[in-house]
Amino acid sequence: MASRTPPVATRSEDQRSGAERAPRRRLSVDERREQLIAVALELFSKHPPEDVSIDDIAAAAGASRPLVYHYFPGKQALYEESLRRAGQELAGRFEEPAEGPLSERLLRVMGRYLDFVEGHGPGFEALLRGGSVAASPGTNAVIDEVRRAAQEQILSHLAIADPSPGLRRTVRAWIANAEISSLDWLGERSVPREELQLQLVQEFVAAVTVTAAREPSLAVELAGFLAEEASGGPTGRLVRELAGLLGVPGLAEALGRLAAGES
Amino acid sequence: MASRTPPVATRSEDQRSGAERAPRRRLSVDERREQLIAVALELFSKHPPEDVSIDDIAAAAGASRPLVYHYFPGKQALYEESLRRAGQELAGRFEEPAEGPLSERLLRVMGRYLDFVEGHGPGFEALLRGGSVAASPGTNAVIDEVRRAAQEQILSHLAIADPSPGLRRTVRAWIANAEISSLDWLGERSVPREELQLQLVQEFVAAVTVTAAREPSLAVELAGFLAEEASGGPTGRLVRELAGLLGVPGLAEALGRLAAGES
């Protein structure tokens, strides 16, 4: 649609702001559209959508209000388009070469994910906390698409031809964990960022292990993954932390009794 | 407000439906209001909100459309009120006597939770999948309140005076797991209900164990909980399932190497 809109120059002079009246260089239609989206994304990242007006976007873009309306029917359309871009960018951050220990790949992915969360904090919160007046089927479709992309990326690293419903659920639930945990963390910062990053990866390893305990074919894959893990990596540290529990008075005995099946 | 509205009898005859014109027994104002909410809750449980009209509610209540509007300003208000009731009912299902092994208490709670999910399936899905046109700050406040009630109930069973941020996050993330998993399950029914119920409880035990591996004071509590667990209960079964992983070729060796800290 944008490429078929008449050039801005055809609009009457009095509709333009000062910045528009004296542009350093006239932007093409596509450039202007991209600029408006970029400016909107920046504003919607830093503020909840209800606090951003078309006037704010116009001012930040050095454009007039009518010019913004010339490209987008309204704030909601601009919000949804900037969200789509943010979603594409976030989905791209889940891409990771299939090399090295699995938990270290995921640690790198989570680093990029938390970069994104920090860089888009107020917008990320407004979007995922729910109750936003700007939530719509369009914004929810973007969220669902990012979740699906994350799930597929993670499943592809597990390299299992036909993931079971149980494993899909495990991955999906872990993605929800990452969302909820990063929302909490944005609000409270109760742990250092690196700690959250590590914990989420370890929680993934633990969740896959519990799933593998029910699924013999996944258990075989798990043995292969564990053989690749480094002792200094997230999984190695988790294994030693869990082994440390055996030193807690009474804990090893309780586990031994349960493992033996004695009531 | 409802108690100050004039009785229905003062309304003109032509505004009433047939059912209204010949009531078996005149309902009091409070009774009528409760009846409308109950009927709305029933309809909103069985259908997404966009498929339920004020006319549907009026017809199901044997009332006229103007009578419904007499009690509620519109469909959204009736939706939110019926949601509040459903939320209170759901929150009540998390209440459980503090007796017996922890995982068995949680298993009973999850049974009641899944009863609720099954009984309100389409409404539960429409509400939590996002993208509902009826989502609002009001509906989101109800969801948040139920999540908070669930979190507090579960923390109270853990009986830890001052839960750490890490433990609160673990519980919150597990609640998200229960939501996502029950949504998936409503759509796919890929595992029997009892299996999902058991898995969610086991995932809770696993998540708390991973958290305890980082938090010494929680580790001491964990030893206490495990000492109370029965070998035939969810935790006992989980321990044996995990122990079974040690029989998978290569897996015990990989864990041993990681536990020893050898790279």
Side-chain angles (χ1 to χ4, degrees):
Chain A
M1 231 179 96
S3 59
R4 296 201 297 130
T5 43
V8 173
T10 63
R11 299 180 69 83
S12 70
E13 204 59 33
D14 63 348
Q15 284 184 310
R16 302 202 202 138
S17 70
E20 186 62 16
R21 221 170 279 133
R24 290 211 184 86
R25 178 176 81 74
R26 172 138 311 148
L27 297 177
S28 74
V29 167
D30 283 352
E31 284 170 338
R32 178 58 96 179
R33 188 166 190 278
E34 289 302 310
Q35 183 224 12
L36 291 175
I37 293 168
V39 163
L41 179 53
E42 174 75 14
L43 286 170
F44 286 125
S45 296
K46 301 274 180 286
H47 311 276
E50 59 272 26
D51 292 352
V52 177
S53 68
I54 285 282
D55 286 328
D56 295 331
I57 295 164
S64 67
R65 187 182 159 85
L67 182 130
V68 178
Y69 278 113
H70 183 74
Y71 283 84
F72 295 93
K75 186 174 106 170
Q76 185 69 21
L78 200 38
Y79 179 62
E80 292 188 11
E81 184 58 35
S82 63
L83 202 64
R84 247 187 302 278
R85 300 301 175 93
Q88 285 163 1
E89 200 214 312
L90 179 53
R93 293 182 184 218
F94 288 103
E95 285 171 26
E96 168 73 23
E99 286 161 19
L102 201 63
S103 72
E104 294 177 30
R105 295 184 213 168
L106 194 55
L107 193 69
R108 287 189 289 273
V109 168
M110 291 321 288
R112 294 194 295 269
Y113 172 75
L114 291 174
D115 285 344
F116 180 94
V117 169
E118 281 203 294
H120 302 76
F124 183 84
E125 279 194 84
L127 184 65
L128 288 185
R129 277 231 189 274
S132 166
V133 290
S136 70
T139 63
N140 281 291
V142 172
I143 298 173
D144 282 348
E145 186 46 49
V146 173
R147 286 176 180 156
R148 196 161 20 240
Q151 188 182 33
E152 292 310 318
Q153 273 296 321
I154 290 167
L155 287 171
S156 82
H157 281 276
L158 293 173
I160 290 165
D162 188 17
S164 67
L167 181 58
R168 298 191 77 89
R169 178 172 79 77
T170 298
V171 173
R172 178 69 191 86
W174 178 80
I175 291 167
N177 176 8
E179 284 179 22
I180 296 291
S181 296
S182 53
L183 276 176
D184 271 12
W185 176 75
L186 274 178
E188 301 176 5
R189 307 265 175 170
S190 57
V191 292
R193 192 193 125 117
E194 289 68 27
E195 183 62 21
L196 176 64
Q197 184 182 350
L198 176 65
Q199 288 180 5
L200 286 171
V201 173
Q202 292 181 332
E203 286 161 11
F204 178 79
V205 173
V208 170
T209 301
V210 169
T211 309
R214 300 175 197 128
E215 299 190 6
S217 66
L218 183 58
V220 173
E221 301 286 342
L222 179 68
F225 299 137
L226 290 176
E228 298 294 318
E229 292 286 324
S231 68
T235 303
R237 292 170 67 175
L238 173 65
V239 169
R240 285 195 298 286
E241 284 167 0
L242 287 170
L245 284 178
L246 300 176
V248 173
L251 204 146
E253 292 78 354
L255 286 180
R257 184 179 54 78
L258 292 170
E262 300 152 15
S263 78
Chain B
M1 234 177 91
S3 59
R4 295 201 297 129
T5 42
V8 172
T10 64
R11 300 179 68 82
S12 70
E13 203 59 33
D14 62 348
Q15 284 183 309
R16 301 199 205 142
S17 71
E20 185 63 15
R21 224 172 278 134
R24 289 215 183 84
R25 179 175 81 77
R26 174 143 305 151
L27 297 176
S28 74
V29 167
D30 283 352
E31 284 171 339
R32 178 59 96 179
R33 188 167 189 277
E34 289 303 309
Q35 183 224 12
L36 291 174
I37 294 168
V39 163
L41 178 53
E42 174 76 13
L43 287 171
F44 287 125
S45 297
K46 300 275 179 289
H47 311 276
E50 60 272 25
D51 292 353
V52 177
S53 68
I54 286 282
D55 286 328
D56 294 332
I57 295 165
S64 67
R65 187 182 160 86
L67 183 131
V68 178
Y69 278 113
H70 183 73
Y71 284 84
F72 295 94
K75 184 174 109 173
Q76 185 69 20
L78 200 38
Y79 179 60
E80 293 187 13
E81 184 57 36
S82 63
L83 202 63
R84 247 187 302 277
R85 300 301 175 91
Q88 285 163 2
E89 200 214 312
L90 179 54
R93 294 184 184 216
F94 289 103
E95 285 170 28
E96 169 72 24
E99 287 160 19
L102 202 62
S103 71
E104 294 177 32
R105 294 183 213 169
L106 194 54
L107 193 69
R108 287 189 289 272
V109 168
M110 294 319 289
R112 293 195 294 269
Y113 172 74
L114 292 173
D115 284 343
F116 181 92
V117 169
E118 281 203 294
H120 301 75
F124 183 85
E125 279 195 84
L127 185 65
L128 289 185
R129 278 234 188 270
S132 166
V133 290
S136 71
T139 63
N140 281 289
V142 172
I143 298 173
D144 282 348
E145 185 47 47
V146 173
R147 287 176 179 155
R148 197 162 19 241
Q151 188 182 33
E152 294 310 320
Q153 273 297 321
I154 290 167
L155 286 170
S156 82
H157 280 277
L158 292 173
I160 289 165
D162 189 17
S164 68
L167 180 59
R168 297 191 77 89
R169 179 173 78 75
T170 298
V171 173
R172 178 69 191 85
W174 177 80
I175 290 167
N177 176 8
E179 283 179 24
I180 296 292
S181 297
S182 53
L183 276 175
D184 272 12
W185 175 75
L186 273 177
E188 300 176 6
R189 308 264 173 166
S190 56
V191 291
R193 193 194 125 117
E194 289 67 28
E195 184 62 22
L196 176 65
Q197 185 182 351
L198 176 65
Q199 288 180 3
L200 286 170
V201 173
Q202 292 181 331
E203 286 162 12
F204 179 80
V205 173
V208 170
T209 302
V210 169
T211 308
R214 304 175 192 127
E215 299 191 5
S217 66
L218 184 58
V220 173
E221 300 287 341
L222 179 68
F225 299 137
L226 290 177
E228 299 294 318
E229 292 287 325
S231 68
T235 303
R237 292 170 66 175
L238 174 64
V239 169
R240 285 195 299 285
E241 283 168 0
L242 288 170
L245 284 177
L246 300 176
V248 174
L251 204 146
E253 292 78 353
L255 285 180
R257 184 178 56 75
L258 292 169
E262 299 151 13
S263 80

